[in-house]
Amino acid sequence: MGFRRAWKGDEWQAFALQLVQRRHGPENVQIVPDSVGGDAGLEFFTTNGCLYQCYAPEEVSDVKKAASAMKAKAGRDLPKLSKNKDKIEAILSGISVNRWILLCPFLDNKDVVADVRNRGIAVKGQSLSFLADDFEALCHSQEDFAGEIEQLKALSLGPPLSVDMPTPVDVSAAGETSIGTRIDEKLGRAYGSAATARQIATRRDAYVKAHLYRENALDQLRQNHAVLWERAYQSIEAEETRLIAVGASSTLPAEQLQSSTQKIEESLAKALPTLQAGVITQIALGTVSDWLIRCPLDFPEAG
């Protein structure tokens, strides 16, 4: 099973929290705020004694560099258990800790496992009052939460998706940029003399509007529904790959545009069954607009 590797720090922390809550139960997980005095080396803990620290390496392709960054993260944060022992003891209020877990998107190098465990042994040797006799420091990844990820895929978690429709001012402004110019060129080649300049401009504005809506919708999914965003991204990418590899199903521009939109809608509806049909349609239209802008979808010169 393949998992997404590249994450922004805040984005990964939010998704990791969902995974931990699915495993331990939301009522058994406590977030440690970092806005006052830092997070003391842990971002959330569970009532059964697990301390979690999240980390998403910036390097995702170079295994050695990613491993080095993970080890450095453990090297910075595990010693904080001792440095901040009084603060942590007060936060835990009697909870006996048996695990400190560095939770990363991926884990490729066994040296990270050894390094984290050895650092954990060193911390355990300091006989901190809140550490259990069986305390271990581990590094986990999405592979360790495959079951929880599958559960999340069937749910729409996070705040309700709320996407503002672009205003006429937004559409007009974007239409005057390279986005509008590129769509104008594509539609001009597609319809030629079969459409007036006004008709092409109207179609252009519709595609620009859909493009802006799509970007807003995907950004909302990315921020609040990381799993759904991943599924939407995979579905759109698969349809784009199909279009490039196989080609359009029709040589007629109107039919080609309609066919592409329909295929994206069908794909997204299967991947995101909890999303409203209207949102899916807007994302599909916006994706076709994105293809017109970036060139996966083009037309020969019309007569």
Side-chain angles (χ1 to χ4, degrees):
M1 180 182 295
F3 296 106
R4 175 183 166 196
R5 294 173 67 86
W7 295 76
K8 295 180 180 178
D10 291 346
E11 183 183 44
W12 170 244
Q13 183 177 337
F15 182 56
L17 176 60
Q18 287 184 306
L19 296 179
V20 172
Q21 288 178 328
R22 293 300 299 176
R23 171 162 296 183
H24 298 277
E27 70 278 10
N28 299 317
V29 179
Q30 174 62 58
I31 298 173
V32 180
D34 61 1
S35 57
V36 178
D39 60 15
L42 57 143
E43 275 156 343
F44 25 88
F45 65 88
T46 69
T47 55
N48 66 343
C50 291
L51 307 182
Y52 283 92
Q53 183 70 354
C54 305
Y55 180 62
E58 292 183 7
E59 176 58 58
V60 298
S61 57
D62 189 309
V63 172
K64 187 175 181 179
K65 288 183 179 179
S68 178
M70 290 178 189
K71 289 188 285 186
K73 176 65 174 176
R76 291 191 299 272
D77 284 354
L78 265 169
K80 292 180 182 179
L81 296 183
S82 176
K83 179 181 178 181
N84 301 310
K85 59 183 179 181
D86 294 337
K87 182 187 294 185
I88 293 175
E89 186 174 16
I91 292 173
L92 295 176
S93 298
I95 293 176
S96 181
V97 175
N98 51 40
R99 295 293 182 269
W100 181 93
I101 298 173
L102 180 65
L103 184 50
C104 302
F106 57 89
L107 177 60
D108 301 325
N109 193 323
K110 59 182 178 294
D111 290 345
V112 177
V113 177
D115 184 82
V116 172
R117 292 199 69 244
N118 287 332
R119 293 181 187 279
I121 291 171
V123 171
K124 181 179 177 181
Q126 298 178 32
S127 301
L128 301 176
S129 62
F130 51 83
L131 296 187
D133 292 339
D134 62 347
F135 175 77
E136 291 274 2
L138 306 172
C139 184
H140 283 181
S141 70
Q142 291 177 95
E143 296 284 349
D144 298 287
F145 288 83
E148 286 78 10
I149 289 175
E150 286 303 310
Q151 292 175 36
L152 288 175
K153 285 182 178 179
L155 301 172
S156 179
L157 299 178
L161 188 66
S162 178
V163 185
D164 294 330
M165 189 65 69
T167 67
V169 173
D170 295 332
V171 174
S172 177
E176 294 176 359
T177 67
S178 59
I179 291 175
T181 301
R182 187 65 63 87
I183 295 175
D184 263 338
E185 292 172 355
K186 297 291 182 66
L187 295 179
R189 286 200 294 274
Y191 294 101
S193 59
T196 65
R198 184 181 181 84
Q199 289 173 328
I200 290 177
T202 299
R203 290 190 175 104
R204 177 205 62 213
D205 288 348
Y207 278 114
V208 168
K209 183 177 182 179
H211 175 75
L212 295 176
Y213 183 95
R214 169 190 183 268
E215 296 304 294
N216 291 340
L218 291 180
D219 188 60
Q220 284 290 315
L221 287 175
R222 182 187 60 79
Q223 292 184 44
N224 301 317
H225 306 268
V227 171
L228 296 184
W229 179 88
E230 176 71 11
R231 297 178 77 179
Y233 179 84
Q234 290 177 349
S235 296
I236 291 170
E237 188 175 56
E239 285 302 320
E240 181 174 332
T241 300
R242 184 204 59 76
L243 176 66
I244 294 172
V246 179
S249 58
S250 173
T251 58
L252 300 177
E255 291 182 3
Q256 187 172 334
L257 292 168
Q258 183 176 358
S259 174
S260 293
T261 303
Q262 183 177 351
K263 283 184 169 61
I264 300 168
E265 282 187 281
E266 292 172 351
S267 180
L268 288 174
K270 291 179 181 178
L272 308 171
T274 59
L275 217 57
Q276 294 178 342
V279 174
I280 288 177
T281 297
Q282 291 288 349
I283 293 176
L285 287 169
T287 298
V288 170
S289 178
D290 180 61
W291 291 354
L292 290 172
I293 295 166
R294 292 189 297 106
C295 289
L297 186 60
D298 204 350
F299 311 104
E301 196 77 36

